[in-house]
Amino acid sequence: MKKWGLFALAALLVVALAACGKKDSGSGAKVYKFATDAAYSPMELMDKDKVVGFDADFLDAVMKEAGLDYQLVNTGWDPMLQSVKDGKEYAGGISSVSITDERKQTYDYSAPYFESTNMILSKAGSGLKTGQDLKDKKVAVQISTTADTIMSDIMGKDNTNLKRFDSNALAFTEMESGGVDAVVADVAIVGEYLKQHPDKNLEGNLDPSFPSEFYGILLPKGSDLKAKIDPAIKKVLESGKYAEIYKKWIGKEPNVQNVLNAK
Amino acid sequence: MDFRFDIIYDYAPLFLRGTLLTIGISLLGILFGSILGLVIGIGKMSPKRYLNLPTSAYINFFRGTPLLVQVYIVHFGIIPPIYGSTNVIVAAIVALSLNSAAYTAEIYRAGIQSIDKGQREAAYSLGMTHRQAMRHIIIPQAIKRMIPAFGNEFIVLIKDSSIVSVIAAPELMYWGKVMQTQYYRIWEPYLTAAAIYFVLTYSLSKLLAYLERKV
């Protein structure tokens, strides 16, 4: 008798799983699923159970322009990288991913859609204004950001005075605890932090020699989606829609021409 | 699946450095954890409330909260006031030792209490004092029973040391994350790190098996 019970349970599970599977594929038009790591405010973050932020609004505008159905899912960073590489379930990833040559060996990118610059955050009066000032200092960055790349180039990839944290929040806490002299992070994120902590006597400095990097939508190698969304990205950039989204999340006017000219 | 050995080769020196640090913090964590654990284990076995209560609370706290949180508390909350600034290596060793102490304390206690009461009574009836009975009869038998449990704890500790990569301690997992960052590939860095962790834990388990036969 017991065996039959188990068998029934297994059969029930199989039916339930099959039912779940159907929901995804049975809805007619193709739904492109995009993965993100929604922990990078204001670019992408979670509002309760919904992904919001600059990237979410931008993707929405692009997919509407291209006339495609899509779904944006918060998968976390590593799962996003792997599932986009596989290209089976997820058609792409959008998560402030900067375009670099090393990464192009594994992925395709959409046209660039965002210019990223970095800012140096330090105690006011510390005199740490440029990347070269930081060369022999202790610096915290968020791992896998452009700040990480820039500071790795200046300080050396294997320099242990360059501390890479999982999040900018941890990097900022490290500076408050006296573990590092400065944090390098995206200007939008440093700006947000300065705004929230006016009493901490901090300053942010832009180093004009920091190279700009550009974000692209991460696509699997050989993806046919690129041909569909690149024209849509161009249209969204040229229309006022892009500036509107930019102002909403970043709080200032974008330099659209720089993004359009980027390769 | 395409698997790029060239980028692993590129990162080999960093993996090596990370491995040495992983071995270092794990060994010190095991050492300090075992010493502190002995003190706490003895405290917990004591019938005196002022010894028993704090040690029980210690064990419950460190076994009942995630190591990740403990690492943050030690790194950002405990080390800076004492040391003046953060120090990842010290924080990593302290957090692992404190955590490990809670588990080893229970291993000591369980090992000693697992020895049948009759053994102790027999020792007393031979005219041994409590101290003599412990030293010649109870402890030697208990140690034999503790070894497998210690082996397990040490292996878990080596793998758990990977958590300190969250405070940017440049150990094995940290360099795996750095490599992941540069290429945005996950299998090469993580499988390489996993293979090295496996070699470390497997060698340790062999060493412990040898010890188990010897004792």
Side-chain angles (χ1 to χ4, degrees), chain B residues 24-42:
Chain B
I25 57 176
S26 301
L27 281 182
L28 289 173
I30 287 168
L31 180 71
F32 295 137
S34 306
I35 296 168
L36 183 62
L38 181 61
V39 176
I40 291 172
I42 290 170

Side-chain angles (χ1 to χ4, degrees), chain A:
Chain A
M1 268 303 119
K2 248 187 196 163
K3 259 188 205 160
W4 283 108
L6 263 176
F7 180 77
L9 197 70
L12 207 71
L13 265 171
V14 169
V15 170
L17 280 173
C20 288
K22 259 194 194 122
K23 237 188 251 164
D24 281 341
S25 55
S27 58
K30 182 169 167 62
V31 176
Y32 290 92
K33 280 175 85 176
F34 287 85
T36 187
D37 177 23
Y40 203 61
S41 174
M43 296 305 289
E44 48 268 319
L45 59 148
M46 295 303 286
D47 180 11
K48 306 285 177 337
D49 58 346
K50 212 171 155 303
V51 182
V52 298
F54 180 93
D55 280 353
D57 282 0
F58 174 74
L59 182 70
D60 187 65
V62 168
M63 294 307 273
K64 269 199 189 116
E65 183 65 47
L68 301 170
D69 281 339
Y70 80 101
Q71 193 191 347
L72 182 59
V73 184
N74 181 19
T75 59
W77 185 256
D78 287 335
M80 174 187 80
L81 295 183
Q82 188 56 32
S83 50
V84 172
K85 183 169 175 285
D86 291 344
K88 291 192 190 89
E89 192 179 0
Y90 289 92
I94 183 163
S95 198
S96 307
V97 179
S98 9
I99 304 172
T100 73
D101 288 340
E102 282 106 340
R103 292 160 192 170
K104 274 186 183 166
Q105 295 166 4
T106 306
Y107 298 93
D108 280 352
Y109 281 97
S110 74
Y113 71 89
F114 191 92
E115 182 179 9
S116 149
T117 49
N118 281 280
M119 197 177 225
I120 300 165
L121 179 77
S122 62
K123 287 260 178 305
S126 64
L128 302 174
K129 294 194 184 336
T130 68
Q132 288 303 321
D133 291 341
L134 298 176
K135 201 171 166 124
D136 304 312
K137 300 283 185 220
K138 289 183 178 170
V139 180
V141 294
Q142 178 178 347
I143 198 161
S144 77
T145 56
T146 49
D148 184 357
T149 317
I150 291 170
M151 292 318 295
S152 291
D153 286 344
I154 293 176
M155 300 175 72
K157 184 167 77 181
D158 57 349
N159 190 334
T160 46
N161 280 337
L162 175 59
K163 302 183 184 182
R164 304 173 180 91
F165 288 88
D166 279 348
S167 74
N168 276 312
L170 286 171
F172 292 141
T173 312
E174 179 78 9
M175 194 173 86
E176 280 167 35
S177 311
V180 290
D181 305 302
V183 174
V184 180
D186 277 1
V187 59
I189 283 155
V190 173
E192 183 78 19
Y193 189 75
L194 284 168
K195 205 162 63 187
Q196 284 179 16
H197 301 93
D199 51 325
K200 283 193 176 146
N201 201 25
L202 302 168
E203 64 176 29
N205 285 295
L206 279 172
D207 178 346
S209 76
F210 278 175
S212 281
E213 292 196 31
F214 291 89
Y215 296 163
I217 298 174
L218 204 60
L219 301 168
K221 269 268 172 229
S223 167
D224 55 352
L225 192 58
K226 185 171 166 62
K228 290 177 188 157
I229 60 172
D230 275 1
I233 289 176
K234 190 160 184 283
K235 272 194 189 137
V236 170
L237 276 162
E238 283 168 343
S239 73
K241 186 76 187 153
Y242 182 80
E244 187 188 304
I245 297 168
Y246 199 99
K247 260 183 278 180
K248 175 178 168 195
W249 292 102
I250 316 292
K252 49 181 188 179
E253 287 284 342
N255 188 337
V256 177
Q257 209 50 46
N258 269 5
V259 180
L260 281 168
N261 291 342
K263 278 282 156 291

